[in-house]
Amino acid sequence: MASTTNHTPPLLDLTIDNITENVVRINSQSSNARLNYLMERLVTHVHDFARETRLSTHEWMATIEFLTKTGQMCTDVRQEFILLSDILGLSMLVDSIDHPKPPNCTEGSVLGPFHTGDAPHLPIGSSMSTDAAGEPMLALCTVSDSSGRPISGVKVDIWETDSSGHYDVQYASRESPSERCVMTSDVDGGFWFKAIKPVSYPIPDDGPVGKLLQLLNRHCWRPSHMHFMFEKQGLDPLITTLFIRGDKYETSDVVFGVKSSLIIDLGKVDEETAAKYGVPVGALLLRHKFVLASTEETEKLRDKNAMEAMERLGLKTKLIDHLPVPDLD
Amino acid sequence: MASTTNHTPPLLDLTIDNITENVVRINSQSSNARLNYLMERLVTHVHDFARETRLSTHEWMATIEFLTKTGQMCTDVRQEFILLSDILGLSMLVDSIDHPKPPNCTEGSVLGPFHTGDAPHLPIGSSMSTDAAGEPMLALCTVSDSSGRPISGVKVDIWETDSSGHYDVQYASRESPSERCVMTSDVDGGFWFKAIKPVSYPIPDDGPVGKLLQLLNRHCWRPSHMHFMFEKQGLDPLITTLFIRGDKYETSDVVFGVKSSLIIDLGKVDEETAAKYGVPVGALLLRHKFVLASTEETEKLRDKNAMEAMERLGLKTKLIDHLPVPDLD
């Protein structure tokens, strides 16, 4: 049974103690070394979970039903599995692993389930909000590289809640996008827009993930924030969020996305700024300088982190396409 | 941050290294100790998986999409998540953990995704097959307890493929159940029925699980078999399968369900048997004695196995409702 080749092993009389090695072996027949490694780790962890908890058939079936409902809750504008990943801290963890930031770069945060691909491309200076009930806010932002040089031509995706704490996609009556836009940074790396102050809100809690949070005695709130996603050839894509300081959920974000460096203070628009940008004096003012790592900087850091982590695990590893696989040579 | 109470910890600036302990802590607020333990193990394994593979955002998104499609493939008569669990060996493992068998009892096997709740209750001696193309087979079975005493009144669920290797639920045109029935064992613990010889078949491979098997260079076949499920108050439910010896997939069942003790030889019906049961001489004959553990025997063995396993893991554990939780006292 303990064949060291990759030929199909005889799978017979599998027990609690030998099933894992056998399932791993039959899942190691792909020519894709990365897939084989992912499957080996997946099967090992799933089996260890069952063994360490002595998972019952009843609990297993409840899990099957939970996953089924989670999939069936998903639509074009709702991603319940991303929500599940978010509330388990997995989304935040994967972002941290895949997009490590050099020291002076803007930190990342969770994408969340509300990004859409249909936001309108607006010229700099536009208003991204149509919500008259929102508290007006002017946002003046810049993008630079890690050595402080402005970067022009960066595609910036921006999205936020309306004044009631809902994203446009949460309305069944949605006909077109609102409270979201795409802009492109100008020659000085600048982009500015008119918006409203985002408010704290509960993540959708009418599905399986909401029920799980209830079972766990957890609230389902996120502190008020505005999402940003930056993309340009040669730059590591940055998915991040700015949080408005002082929110009551600042230290208990249900999706674990808050970082001190991303909490900002809002100012007030003075007379000069009001005249320059065509907004009322006293409106809220968000100023932020985003600093983006290059693809090269991120890849170098990611590779270094990966090799160090694998070494700590005692695994002899090589990188293929910047992702670790066991080094069997 | 390292509060030892269960008050909500401040969740801020979570990193690759500290996110797990914090997510575990916020998921430990339920009064249900078992749920807290399951979540602790789940989060730890999911996070370790991401850390040990340095899971990329791209791979994470592919997984989200895979799980979503798996949920959306499920219908009243198709359970793609059970199929996924089956091909990862998890179903077999959970059955082994939750339904350990005393030495002389019939071993268990996977339930699979094709059991239904609508099989007709047929009197002993009925035919469960309407497939005229199938090879006729007479099945003569008994049920006894672990000390050999016949057990009457056991509800026996039986299901198999038709002669083309399909279960009834795989036909869009299905109007009523076929190749399945429920019987009740008689005063001598006996039950017998007319059926057809089951044939090997591919599990449904037109969904996400089939695509995964392809990627893994695995075939999707099960050796020919007949499913049995036994239930009676006071007995540990037995879900098992009899496999017909000599099938080409006998040692490579895609769902890891084959055990030597469950592989049977078919005989031929002799003249006396033919006359007694009203079947043709020379028809195939399946004879089997099923031996069932009592609820008490299984619980005792399960508890013992659980405590030993927890001890091997170095965990101080107590059992609540026969399921382990950390013993924090």
Side-chain angles (χ1 to χ4, degrees), chain A residues 11 13 27 34 37 41 45 47 52-53 57 59-60 68 72 74 79 85 88 98 218 251 260 310, chain B residues 11 13 27 34 37 41 45 47 52-53 57 59-60 68 72 79 85 88 98 218 251 260 310:
Chain A
L11 299 167
D13 293 320
N27 283 338
R34 175 67 179 168
Y37 180 55
R41 289 289 80 209
H45 280 297
H47 285 200
E52 292 167 6
T53 60
T57 306
E59 290 167 336
W60 169 82
T68 303
Q72 291 177 340
C74 296
Q79 229 311 341
S85 169
L88 294 178
D98 203 36
R218 284 175 59 182
T251 60
S260 304
M310 294 298 107
Chain B
L11 300 167
D13 293 320
N27 283 339
R34 176 68 178 167
Y37 180 54
R41 290 287 80 209
H45 280 297
H47 285 200
E52 291 167 7
T53 60
T57 306
E59 290 167 336
W60 169 83
T68 303
Q72 292 177 340
Q79 230 311 342
S85 169
L88 294 178
D98 203 36
R218 285 176 58 183
T251 60
S260 304
M310 294 298 107

Side-chain angles (χ1 to χ4, degrees), chain A residues 88-138:
Chain A
L88 294 178
L90 178 63
S91 308
M92 199 61 242
L93 176 59
V94 169
D95 184 72
S96 304
I97 290 170
D98 203 36
H99 298 283
K101 308 298 179 198
N104 56 340
C105 290
T106 302
E107 291 192 276
S109 191
V110 289
L111 174 67
F114 293 124
H115 178 255
T116 70
D118 67 354
H121 202 292
L122 300 182
I124 283 176
S126 302
S127 173
M128 64 173 283
S129 176
T130 55
D131 183 354
E135 205 175 343
M137 185 175 79
L138 172 68

Side-chain angles (χ1 to χ4, degrees), chain A residues 16 47-55, chain B residues 34 37-38 40-41 45 97 302-320 322-327:
Chain A
I16 296 177
H47 285 200
D48 281 349
F49 172 76
R51 270 189 293 259
E52 292 167 6
T53 60
R54 315 303 294 178
L55 194 68
Chain B
R34 176 68 178 167
Y37 180 54
L38 289 173
E40 187 264 316
R41 290 287 80 209
H45 280 297
I97 290 170
R302 188 195 297 129
D303 289 359
K304 181 174 160 282
N305 291 349
M307 290 306 284
E308 284 174 6
M310 294 298 107
E311 206 176 303
R312 279 197 300 274
L313 290 170
L315 283 176
K316 203 182 158 208
T317 310
K318 61 184 175 190
L319 299 178
I320 296 183
H322 304 279
L323 292 167
V325 298
D327 188 356

Side-chain angles (χ1 to χ4, degrees), chain B residues 251-282:
Chain B
T251 60
S252 68
D253 181 6
V254 66
V255 304
F256 311 104
V258 186
K259 289 168 178 171
S260 304
S261 71
L262 301 175
I263 302 177
I264 56 161
D265 293 293
L266 295 181
K268 295 269 180 179
V269 170
D270 62 19
E271 278 191 28
E272 191 191 332
T273 309
K276 184 169 174 190
Y277 294 98
V279 296
V281 174

